[in-house]
Amino acid sequence: MPLIDSFERTIDYLRVSVTDRCNFRCIYCMPEEGAPVAPAGDLLTNAELIRILKIAAELGMRKFRLTGGEPLIRKDIVSVVANIASLAGVDEISLTTNGYLLPELALPLAQAGLTRINISLDTLRPDRFKRIARRGRLDTVLQGIKAATDAGLCPVKINCVVMKGYNDDEVLDFAALSLDQSLDVRFIELMPINWSAGDDSIRDYSIPALAPGSSRNSVQLYANTELATFRQSFVHTADDKILGQLDASQMRRAFVSTSAIQECIEARYGALERAEVKVNGPARSYKIANAPGTLSFISQITNDMCVNCNRLRLTADGFLRPCLMADGEVDLRSPIRSGASDADIADLFRITVLHKPAEHRLEDGLAPIGRNMSQLGG
Ligand code: SAM
Ligand code: SF4
């Protein structure tokens, strides 16, 4: 019996954060000194992770995407991929990475059973790379893209978060990558994860429980059981102030809509043709006439993609989340470590699916504040 949520969406895709640590410090994702991380002992072990994913596969989840933090800094990442590949019922194992460790890991990952890869890259200019990613080297990431292509992880997808004043003048350079390689270049809208850090106006965010008899709606669906409490929100205190990461107002000013990006590309190359990209999730895909590669647009903010949302997220410290854009999560780690059966864990998946909101509520000021993107598994 597949997992079906309250809005009749089939949930068959799990995004799995395998670590909350990272070797980069992208300005929109974490502060210069790094985001707070969970104690090492709180991170799921390889065996715990595989047990959870086996239960997920038995519940009908067919696609797993490994993310983080930076998934490739997890020492046993190749073995994690191999273990997932050995599970019955898994159709796809993909991974999102900053690409820095791909030159050495692309081939072993492909051999272990990885099927697809997304590589994040926000600039093609070395000096800017230092300002945006703040660690690593552009040429190593470019070698990583080549290594992934050579290892057959095709089509390699490039994730570019477009930011006004930081890299919006490189949109055409990124689009041009699709002219000579069969890459899928994906333009992503800057998302308000942790926009509230430093923004007092929405710091006291909380979600009211539904009154009996109310119609179910968005993040308000509420269900506590003896087994699990749905953790609703985390309230930031002054001590949590995040420094060195774009703050709320800087993020709002840097936001560029995908329609503006598309217009910029079409002004240079003419109307884009619709394209099909294998396993494209929420992206809308196009191509420049006769180009081998494609261009995709991910508009979490300006285009409502929630209606087709088919995913849950598992954090590196073992919490299952129904939605990236709304706080709220179910603890799997504590039950796992205190002897819960597979049937109990399967129930926790069902409870989480019941909490899946119809859509995000960003327009009402309800942005997630509890965890950074690196802690959520973007
Ligand atoms: N470290 C890996 C990477 O960078 O690809 C995986 C984790 S990262 C959190 C996953 C994706 O989230 C990256 O493509 C990154 O650009 C994107 N991301 C992080 N913070 C974001 C934000 N505030 N808005 C939009 N995308 C964001
Ligand atoms: Fe690290 Fe990825 Fe966040 Fe950049 S976007 S800081 S690479 S987790």
Side-chain angles (χ1 to χ4, degrees):
M1 181 69 183
L3 292 168
I4 297 179
D5 77 358
S6 318
F7 307 96
E8 293 176 10
R9 296 171 296 200
T10 299
I11 309 301
D12 62 1
Y13 178 11
L14 186 61
R15 282 210 175 202
V16 183
S17 173
V18 295
T19 179
D20 55 0
R21 275 78 168 160
C22 188
N23 48 357
F24 281 15
R25 297 285 185 270
C26 303
I27 46 168
Y28 48 76
C29 181
M30 58 168 80
E32 173 79 50
E33 67 275 20
V37 292
D42 284 359
L43 302 185
L44 294 176
T45 64
N46 195 326
E48 289 168 339
L49 194 56
I50 298 307
R51 180 176 170 208
I52 292 172
L53 269 46
K54 179 168 182 285
I55 294 165
E58 286 163 1
L59 287 167
M61 298 199 114
R62 296 282 162 261
K63 299 178 201 165
F64 297 104
R65 173 170 293 277
L66 307 183
T67 177
E70 173 47 41
L72 300 192
I73 65 171
R74 185 166 166 141
K75 296 271 180 284
D76 59 354
I77 188 67
V78 175
S79 140
V80 167
V81 169
N83 288 339
I84 300 172
S86 71
L87 298 177
V90 177
D91 292 342
E92 188 189 309
I93 312 166
S94 55
L95 184 143
T96 302
T97 172
N98 61 32
Y100 192 58
L101 295 175
L102 267 184
E104 58 263 35
L105 284 174
L107 188 58
L109 286 167
Q111 287 168 337
L114 191 74
T115 43
R116 269 166 237 298
I117 198 148
N118 288 25
I119 303 172
S120 304
L121 181 61
D122 303 319
T123 178
L124 298 168
R125 302 185 193 177
D127 55 325
R128 279 196 184 170
F129 192 88
K130 285 201 180 74
R131 287 208 300 275
I132 296 177
R134 299 189 289 193
R135 298 282 193 281
R137 290 174 58 92
L138 174 63
D139 52 2
T140 311
V141 176
L142 295 175
Q143 286 162 24
I145 294 173
K146 179 167 184 326
T149 309
D150 292 348
L153 294 168
C154 298
V156 172
K157 298 183 182 186
I158 306 297
N159 284 0
C160 174
V161 177
V162 181
M163 295 166 284
K164 200 176 293 167
Y166 293 89
N167 64 353
D168 55 333
D169 55 348
E170 292 188 61
V171 162
L172 291 178
D173 297 342
F174 271 95
L177 293 178
S178 72
L179 292 174
D180 36 54
Q181 297 174 66
S182 68
L183 298 170
D184 180 34
V185 180
R186 298 160 26 115
F187 297 100
I188 299 177
E189 285 179 344
L190 186 61
M191 284 184 276
I193 301 292
N194 246 325
W195 260 5
S196 53
D199 183 341
D200 290 328
S201 64
I202 49 176
R203 182 165 290 171
D204 61 349
Y205 160 65
S206 64
I207 305 170
L210 264 193
S214 320
S215 63
R216 73 189 169 198
N217 177 23
S218 190
V219 285
Q220 294 174 321
L221 191 66
Y222 205 86
N224 286 345
T225 70
E226 282 174 15
L227 206 57
T229 298
F230 190 68
R231 239 166 51 163
Q232 291 280 357
S233 65
F234 312 74
V235 178
H236 280 247
T237 65
D239 300 341
D240 293 332
K241 219 160 180 122
I242 289 178
L243 302 171
Q245 179 181 356
L246 296 186
D247 68 21
S249 59
Q250 287 170 315
M251 279 214 189
R252 290 193 184 103
R253 280 200 302 274
F255 179 80
V256 184
S257 70
T258 59
S259 57
I261 300 166
Q262 188 167 346
E263 272 167 32
C264 164
I265 297 170
E266 292 192 325
R268 167 70 180 79
Y269 291 106
L272 298 175
E273 299 170 2
R274 276 315 275 252
E276 285 296 317
V277 176
K278 217 170 164 190
V279 206
N280 216 19
R284 288 176 297 117
S285 297
Y286 299 86
K287 63 194 291 187
I288 298 171
N290 302 319
T294 48
L295 305 176
S296 298
F297 299 92
I298 318 270
S299 333
Q300 249 101 340
I301 310 301
T302 57
N303 185 29
D304 182 18
M305 304 185 317
C306 305
V307 68
N308 294 319
C309 185
N310 62 346
R311 62 189 61 171
L312 300 181
R313 286 163 194 273
L314 180 64
T315 67
D317 56 348
F319 286 77
L320 201 54
R321 292 182 64 106
C323 178
L324 175 68
M325 297 288 195
D327 284 322
E329 53 192 31
V330 169
D331 182 5
L332 300 191
R333 187 188 71 230
S334 307
I336 287 241
R337 291 186 181 175
S338 47
S341 67
D342 285 3
D344 291 337
I345 303 301
D347 279 344
L348 295 179
F349 268 88
R350 295 188 185 97
I351 289 165
T352 309
V353 165
L354 275 181
H355 282 87
K356 207 165 159 50
E359 59 196 4
H360 67 65
R361 302 267 307 279
L362 297 174
E363 68 280 10
D364 300 335
L366 293 184
I369 59 171
R371 293 178 185 257
N372 264 28
M373 194 70 125
S374 63
Q375 298 161 322
L376 285 171

